[in-house]
Amino acid sequence: MLTIAVSKGRIYEEALPFLEEAGIMPTDDPEKSRKLILSTTRDDVQLVIIRATDVPTFVEYGAADMGIAGKDILLEHGAESLYEPLDLKIATCRLMTAAHKDAPPPKGRIRVATKYVKIAQRYFASQGIQAEIIKLYGSMELAPLVGLADCIVDLVDTGNTLRANNLEPRELIMNISSRLVVNKAAMKMKNQAIAALLEQFELTLAKR
């Protein structure tokens, strides 16, 4: 049995059609079921539904053989212990800095609000900017408005929320998409089954 970890939200909404195209469909309606472990139409594959930030951890420690997670989550987790064989090209967006539209460009020491602490530290260090990182789990857009931070680092899709709060995107840190990650031990112990599934995923991607 192969276990694939997937998070609810946008990644799941876009991963589910991809998995169905690859012949893996949950036997329970994921929108109605409260189950966290879902059987599928393939007897050898099951899905586990967890928080997005937990996907790399479940895969790293072997609680799941494979997982689907955003590149932002993987970089923040530090997923060097995982194989990352495929970019699924789903749930795409941009990881950017953003600030009040009237704010001057950053210089000197600045305060940055984000949930991507490690990524932000590396980025501003690479730019030669001294940054004090303030970790927030949500409502990043409020931070510049109430004086908590000079700018934020967050995912940007349409940018509508930024504009509604008089913020604007500034610097692109990286483009983000969801990746398939594989536990290294599982790759060795279940090599044939995982290799076959990877081949099926590659064929599905090629048809899109």
Side-chain angles (χ1 to χ4, degrees):
M1 175 72 73
L2 293 178
T3 299
I4 304 176
V6 186
S7 63
K8 285 216 170 183
R10 184 184 173 194
I11 289 179
Y12 186 74
E13 291 169 0
E14 296 192 28
L16 194 59
F18 173 83
L19 291 172
E20 289 180 353
E21 289 171 31
I24 301 171
M25 292 172 281
T27 53
D28 292 296
D29 184 343
E31 295 302 320
K32 297 178 180 179
S33 175
R34 297 182 67 85
K35 294 179 180 178
L36 299 179
I37 300 178
L38 301 178
S39 300
T40 73
T41 48
R42 283 186 50 159
D43 293 337
D44 61 337
V45 177
Q46 65 181 3
L47 306 179
V48 292
I49 311 303
I50 55 180
R51 289 173 61 94
T53 51
D54 291 337
V55 170
T57 301
F58 269 63
V59 178
E60 180 180 4
Y61 287 94
D65 301 301
M66 314 169 80
I68 297 174
K71 185 63 176 177
D72 55 317
I73 297 295
L74 297 173
L75 287 172
E76 187 66 18
H77 175 83
E80 294 86 359
S81 60
L82 304 176
Y83 288 123
E84 190 181 307
L86 288 177
D87 180 351
L88 300 180
K89 304 185 187 303
I90 59 175
T92 57
C93 55
R94 296 163 293 158
L95 186 64
M96 303 192 71
T97 67
H100 193 280
K101 63 180 183 180
D102 297 325
K107 59 181 180 179
R109 186 175 179 84
I110 63 171
R111 289 186 296 176
V112 181
T114 185
K115 65 180 178 181
Y116 300 108
V117 174
K118 294 178 183 177
I119 295 174
Q121 288 172 335
R122 289 193 295 264
Y123 173 75
F124 286 104
S126 72
Q127 301 299 305
I129 297 173
Q130 288 187 313
E132 177 185 356
I133 309 299
I134 301 171
K135 186 168 186 177
L136 293 179
Y137 292 95
S139 304
M140 252 75 72
E141 295 84 2
L142 277 173
L145 303 180
V146 299
L148 179 61
D150 300 296
C151 67
I152 66 174
V153 170
D154 202 8
L155 295 178
V156 177
D157 186 9
T158 64
N160 291 337
T161 303
L162 293 178
R163 286 190 290 272
N165 290 284
N166 292 319
L167 304 179
E168 63 181 9
R170 293 283 177 91
E171 300 294 326
L172 174 67
I173 297 177
M174 67 183 68
N175 292 308
I176 300 295
S177 59
S178 291
R179 314 299 175 97
L180 182 75
V181 291
V182 182
N183 175 273
K184 289 189 174 181
M187 182 68 90
K188 295 178 181 178
M189 300 295 294
K190 303 179 181 181
N191 181 265
Q192 188 171 356
I194 289 177
L197 196 56
L198 288 176
E199 184 178 358
Q200 182 59 51
F201 287 161
E202 289 173 344
L203 290 173
T204 302
L205 280 172
K207 292 177 182 178
R208 288 192 146 200

